[in-house]
Amino acid sequence: MKSLKNTSRKLRLRTALVVPFVLQIVAAVGLVGYLSFRSGQRAINDLANQLQKEVNNRVNHHLETYLKMPQRVNQINYDLIQIGLLDVNKFSASRQYFWRLLQQFETISYIGFGNEQEKFIGVERLEGGKFSVEVKDKSTGVNKLVYLLDKQGNLIDKQIGASKNYLPTRRPWYRAAKEANKPTWGKIYQFSSNSAVRLGIPAVQPYRDKAGNFVGVLETDLVISHISNFLNQIKISPSGGVFIMDREGLLVASSTNSPIYTVKNGKAERLAASTSSDPLIRASTQYLSEHFGDLNQITKLQQLDFKIKGERQFVLVEPWQDEFGLNWVIVTTVRESDFMSQINANTRTTILLCLATLILTIAIGILTARSITRPVLRITKAAEQIAAGNLDKRVGTTDFIEIEEIDTLERSFDSMAGQLKESFETLEDKVKERTAELATANGEILALNERLKEDNLRMGAELDIVRQMQQMILPNAEELKIEGLDIAAYMEAADEVGGDYYDVLNTDGVVTLGIGDVTGHGLESGILMLMAQTAVRTLKEIRETDPVRFLDALNRTLYKNVQRMKSEKSLTLAILNYSQGRVSISGQHEETIIVRLGGQVERIDTMDLGFPIALDDDIAEFISHISMELHPGDGIVLYTDGITEAKDINKKQYGVEPMCEVISQNWHLSAGEIKQAVIDDVRRHIGRQKVFDDITLLVLKRTELGVEKKSQPQAAALV
């Protein structure tokens, strides 16, 4: 079964060459075709979007221009009445003026005025360039009569229509102006002065006299069909269109030939866009209603798309409003098929080219595989015979078409077969010779392993000695018992020998705190730490109190030792001298944390107080110091970067701020408890992550003399 399983996984060389080659070509050609198609689709989307936005911009511009005109006419009439140049009570003069105004504004269809005394006069532009006047005054009684005007705007004594019991104050346009008390629009309505059915929209403005009394309403109307005529002139795409509807979904204008209203018994009824005879308008409106739920939710320009019978439609919808209260929606629709004909043709061409390329590729692959596999099969058979013991077998056959590399392989195979035969004849002697050489080498390796074991033991002993020396020179618990102070310290080395340094020395009532961090870890760092401690102790014992001379002498001592060791180690070092409630700080190290009685934290930057030790032979010009008062309950916290740069499993550093927060929250406790709270919080942050740097922490609090401390001073152990 095992042999059968292994056999089933084997492929012929020809198959292994042809199949991947063909698959790569198919994948590459298919991917190119697909990306070409997708690129075409993206281009179509961009083109449709740009086209729709251009159409919308044109419609917006036309609406702003077209619909501002009647409001301007109303304002002109209002101003003329105010300054006394137009008396609307004199209907003959008003008629002539309105008629002349219509001559100047060809887009205006109607100008009129009605007042609180139920009087009314209006001039209308009729089809065919004719004009009519509508009058209601004392002479007409309760009816409004309609007369034709001649070419000079004079009244032709021929009545062409009438409205019985006409009360202008009850008309929707009049009430809209009175309720708004400002220029606004009335609802779209049907012109009723002639037999032709037309829809118009009235721009209305209330008129008040100089005393502020409401007098009447100025009216200027537009024919809605003019907007549709403009939309019909816009060329979008073979089947695209644009239409406008109000927030109730009723059509205002359309670029298609579908009507926006129906006529029943001589009265026009506006059509809802969702019931339009144009399928694209109807489907687009239904989609917008489903997408937004309410047309009032359309508050900004949006590009959408949906499908009708599997065919994608692009829809650009935009709200349109003006300052006078119009609130419409402009919808531009484009079918994807209007742009996809060329893309589909290119796709068909691409598929045919892919098929032709595939067939040609397979043919070339088979010929190529055959020219490669035939000589390889000969080499394989020759190798099988040589493996069976026939060392005289050679390939020695040439083809009509030879591949240079395979021909070289055949000749190399024949040469190796000859060399193999020769090697077999001398193999036994060479085996004996190699065996002796291996035995000699094995003896040398064993001896080297023994020396390495001895060196490891020696180095381990040396490191242990240095580590013990570091522990021995750390301040013990008795040294940390200083009257008026509560002191606790902690040190943990990342390796067997650490590079952190701290010390607490009390001489003649002056308490000296030292803290430093040697670059790196291991033996050299540990030795430099020991030298630093010794030098600080020596300078302390000779009563050197000047911070500049103190650090300069210490630096020159360590610099010369480091040069003698041919080492590149250096260390940051801060020296603090405390006496009678005042502390002096000098030397460059991490920030010094000053903590006040209530837990307020002050961070002292030591960057300008010194220079790294043993890095240069003369650092006197860089050394400075500052001093400050420590009141009872105040204190100092010193640390090395092993705390602030401790990282959790996600490589996030612990930082200075969390440490300061823990110190502030626990400052009411003893120095030992504060120290432990910080170390516990650092451990919590690190978790199971390995400690990569030495950790050192020194806490000092000033206490009242004679007041018992909450805990005994604690000296750090080198962990």
Side-chain angles (χ1 to χ4, degrees):
M1 290 297 291
K2 183 176 180 181
S3 175
L4 179 61
K5 183 178 181 181
N6 291 337
T7 302
S8 65
R9 294 180 180 176
K10 295 179 180 178
L11 295 174
R12 294 182 63 84
L13 180 60
R14 183 178 298 175
T15 303
L17 289 173
V18 174
V19 172
F21 182 70
V22 172
L23 289 177
Q24 291 178 38
I25 294 298
V26 171
V29 173
L31 182 60
V32 170
Y34 173 75
L35 292 177
S36 175
F37 178 75
R38 292 297 298 167
S39 177
Q41 279 193 323
R42 285 195 295 271
I44 293 304
N45 291 348
D46 293 341
L47 178 60
N49 191 14
Q50 293 176 13
L51 178 62
Q52 289 175 311
K53 287 184 178 179
E54 176 64 24
V55 170
N56 261 39
N57 290 336
R58 292 182 60 186
V59 174
N60 266 292
H61 178 72
H62 179 75
L63 290 179
E64 289 177 3
T65 304
Y66 185 64
L67 294 174
K68 278 184 178 179
M69 192 58 64
Q71 298 289 354
R72 290 180 181 176
V73 171
N74 280 343
Q75 187 61 46
I76 291 172
N77 294 337
Y78 186 96
D79 293 340
L80 291 176
I81 296 173
Q82 282 279 48
I83 63 178
L85 295 180
L86 175 64
D87 187 353
V88 291
N89 293 316
K90 296 180 180 180
F91 280 8
S92 177
S94 299
R95 181 193 71 235
Q96 277 287 333
Y97 171 72
F98 289 165
W99 176 79
R100 292 183 181 277
L101 206 57
L102 287 176
Q103 304 292 322
Q104 299 297 321
F105 297 95
E106 296 181 356
T107 60
I108 303 298
S109 299
Y110 193 94
I111 301 176
F113 177 78
N115 61 22
E116 289 289 284
Q117 287 73 40
E118 303 295 349
K119 292 183 179 181
F120 179 83
I121 183 170
V123 178
E124 178 181 359
R125 187 192 308 273
L126 303 177
E127 299 291 340
K130 296 181 179 181
F131 294 86
S132 66
V133 61
E134 298 179 347
V135 179
K136 180 183 183 299
D137 59 7
K138 291 182 179 180
S139 64
T140 65
V142 297
N143 300 326
K144 180 183 72 173
L145 304 182
V146 184
Y147 300 93
L148 280 176
L149 298 178
D150 61 17
K151 293 182 178 181
Q152 284 74 40
N154 296 317
L155 187 69
I156 299 176
D157 191 14
K158 180 182 179 182
Q159 182 178 332
I160 62 172
S163 297
K164 295 181 179 180
N165 297 320
Y166 182 79
L167 298 175
T169 60
R170 297 188 181 183
R171 302 302 297 170
W173 57 268
Y174 193 99
R175 287 185 294 176
K178 193 171 183 180
E179 292 174 1
N181 197 27
K182 62 180 181 179
T184 186
W185 292 94
K187 292 184 178 181
I188 296 174
Y189 75 102
Q190 176 184 348
F191 285 94
S192 59
S193 62
N194 58 80
S195 58
V197 177
R198 297 187 299 167
L199 292 184
I201 180 170
V204 294
Q205 181 172 349
Y207 174 73
R208 294 180 180 272
D209 60 19
K210 293 181 179 180
N213 300 315
F214 185 84
V215 175
V217 175
L218 292 162
E219 174 190 11
T220 302
D221 295 4
L222 297 172
V223 176
I224 289 298
S225 61
H226 290 173
I227 301 178
S228 294
N229 294 339
F230 171 78
L231 298 182
N232 205 14
Q233 296 172 4
I234 301 176
K235 302 300 180 183
I236 303 175
S237 67
S239 58
V242 58
F243 64 94
I244 303 172
M245 58 182 173
D246 60 23
R247 296 294 178 155
E248 297 177 357
L250 299 178
L251 283 170
V252 175
S254 169
S255 65
T256 66
N257 294 323
S258 59
I260 65 172
Y261 62 90
T262 59
V263 179
K264 295 181 180 180
N265 298 324
K267 292 185 178 181
E269 293 182 5
R270 294 174 61 195
L271 289 174
S274 58
T275 62
S276 172
S277 60
D278 185 278
L280 193 54
I281 294 178
R282 187 171 60 252
S284 300
T285 306
Q286 291 174 353
Y287 169 74
L288 293 176
S289 298
E290 293 172 359
H291 182 79
F292 292 100
D294 184 355
L295 295 180
N296 288 307
Q297 301 302 316
I298 302 174
T299 58
K300 61 181 180 179
L301 178 70
Q302 295 190 52
Q303 176 74 49
L304 307 169
D305 64 84
F306 68 100
K307 290 185 178 181
I308 301 177
K309 297 181 179 179
E311 184 177 0
R312 193 178 181 199
Q313 314 290 326
F314 297 104
V315 177
L316 186 70
V317 57
E318 180 182 16
W320 189 90
Q321 298 174 339
D322 72 351
E323 59 184 306
F324 302 106
L326 282 183
N327 190 2
W328 293 346
V329 177
I330 304 173
V331 183
T332 307
T333 61
V334 176
R335 287 182 179 173
E336 186 181 40
S337 60
D338 291 346
F339 303 95
M340 287 298 292
S341 57
Q342 187 61 44
I343 297 296
N344 293 332
N346 291 341
T347 302
R348 288 191 295 270
T349 303
T350 301
I351 293 173
L352 292 176
L353 290 175
C354 290
L355 291 175
T357 303
L358 180 60
I359 294 171
L360 181 60
T361 300
I362 293 174
I364 294 174
I366 292 173
L367 292 175
T368 303
R370 184 176 181 183
S371 63
I372 295 173
T373 56
R374 287 183 64 184
V376 172
L377 289 174
R378 289 199 300 269
I379 295 173
T380 302
K381 291 179 180 179
E384 289 176 350
Q385 292 191 28
I386 291 175
N390 183 9
L391 298 180
D392 294 323
K393 179 62 179 176
R394 301 291 184 270
V395 179
T397 303
T398 58
D399 295 316
F400 177 74
I401 298 177
E402 293 184 354
I403 298 176
E404 182 178 350
E405 289 78 3
I406 295 180
D407 181 61
T408 302
L409 178 61
E410 289 178 328
R411 287 188 277 105
S412 299
F413 182 87
D414 288 342
S415 176
M416 285 189 296
Q419 294 176 10
L420 184 61
K421 181 179 180 181
E422 182 181 350
S423 298
F424 265 86
E425 294 173 354
T426 58
L427 180 60
E428 186 174 353
D429 294 336
K430 290 184 178 181
V431 169
K432 292 179 180 179
E433 181 182 346
R434 294 292 184 269
T435 302
E437 292 176 355
L438 288 174
T440 303
N442 187 51
E444 294 175 354
I445 291 173
L446 291 176
L448 180 60
N449 283 336
E450 290 298 325
R451 288 199 298 271
L452 288 174
K453 289 181 181 179
E454 294 176 0
D455 290 343
N456 286 336
L457 290 174
R458 177 181 56 77
M459 291 182 66
E462 291 175 353
L463 291 174
D464 188 57
I465 290 172
V466 175
R467 186 169 184 271
Q468 291 181 30
M469 291 175 63
Q470 286 183 324
Q471 288 180 318
M472 292 169 63
I473 65 170
L474 289 176
N476 56 44
E478 292 300 322
E479 291 180 283
L480 299 184
K481 293 181 179 179
I482 299 174
E483 186 176 7
L485 297 176
D486 182 11
I487 304 174
Y490 179 87
M491 176 183 281
E492 177 182 350
D495 293 329
E496 291 85 350
V497 177
D500 279 4
Y501 157 74
Y502 87 90
D503 207 347
V504 179
L505 303 173
N506 186 8
T507 304
D508 298 335
V510 177
V511 179
T512 298
L513 306 177
I515 188 162
D517 186 2
V518 182
T519 56
H521 319 105
L523 185 60
E524 285 189 13
S525 299
I527 292 175
L528 185 55
M529 177 265 199
L530 293 174
M531 289 191 294
Q533 193 279 338
T534 302
V536 171
R537 187 65 182 246
T538 301
L539 291 169
K540 179 70 175 175
E541 291 299 323
I542 65 173
R543 308 302 194 270
E544 180 57 70
T545 59
D546 183 84
V548 175
R549 290 198 301 270
F550 189 100
L551 287 176
D552 183 54
L554 185 145
N555 174 72
R556 284 185 279 106
T557 300
L558 296 187
Y559 176 79
K560 292 178 181 179
N561 278 355
V562 168
Q563 295 300 310
R564 177 178 292 177
M565 294 165 55
K566 297 182 178 179
S567 173
E568 296 182 353
K569 298 289 185 180
S570 63
L571 75 153
T572 60
L573 179 65
I575 299 295
L576 287 77
N577 289 312
Y578 170 82
S579 177
Q580 297 180 356
R582 192 157 192 87
V583 62
S584 171
I585 306 171
S586 62
Q588 186 185 99
H589 185 59
E590 305 295 327
E591 293 180 351
T592 298
I593 307 300
I594 305 298
V595 190
R596 298 304 179 182
L597 175 61
Q600 297 87 355
V601 173
E602 301 174 10
R603 293 163 57 177
I604 308 300
D605 190 352
T606 62
M607 182 60 65
D608 297 329
L609 301 182
F611 196 79
I613 304 299
L615 195 62
D616 192 89
D617 60 342
D618 185 6
I619 64 170
E621 62 179 310
F622 301 105
I623 301 172
S624 181
H625 76 283
I626 58 173
S627 62
M628 60 187 63
E629 192 76 20
L630 288 185
H631 301 287
D634 295 347
I636 302 171
V637 177
L638 303 175
Y639 63 94
T640 60
D641 60 5
I643 291 180
T644 57
E645 295 179 4
K647 298 179 180 178
D648 62 10
I649 196 67
N650 298 316
K651 307 298 183 184
K652 180 182 178 182
Q653 293 186 351
Y654 180 64
V656 179
E657 288 77 7
M659 178 181 68
C660 291
E661 185 176 353
V662 173
I663 293 171
S664 176
Q665 292 175 353
N666 293 276
W667 191 247
H668 62 284
L669 304 177
S670 68
E673 291 169 323
I674 296 169
K675 177 260 301 182
Q676 194 59 45
V678 173
I679 297 303
D680 290 344
D681 197 55
V682 173
R683 286 293 180 190
R684 176 198 58 75
H685 175 79
I686 296 174
R688 292 179 291 179
Q689 179 76 347
K690 184 182 184 305
V691 177
F692 294 101
D693 198 1
D694 304 333
I695 294 176
T696 302
L697 181 66
L698 183 60
V699 180
L700 176 146
K701 289 184 67 174
R702 182 184 175 189
T703 61
E704 291 283 2
L705 293 177
V707 178
E708 184 179 353
K709 301 180 179 63
K710 294 183 180 181
S711 65
Q712 294 299 326
Q714 301 179 33
L718 189 62
V719 180

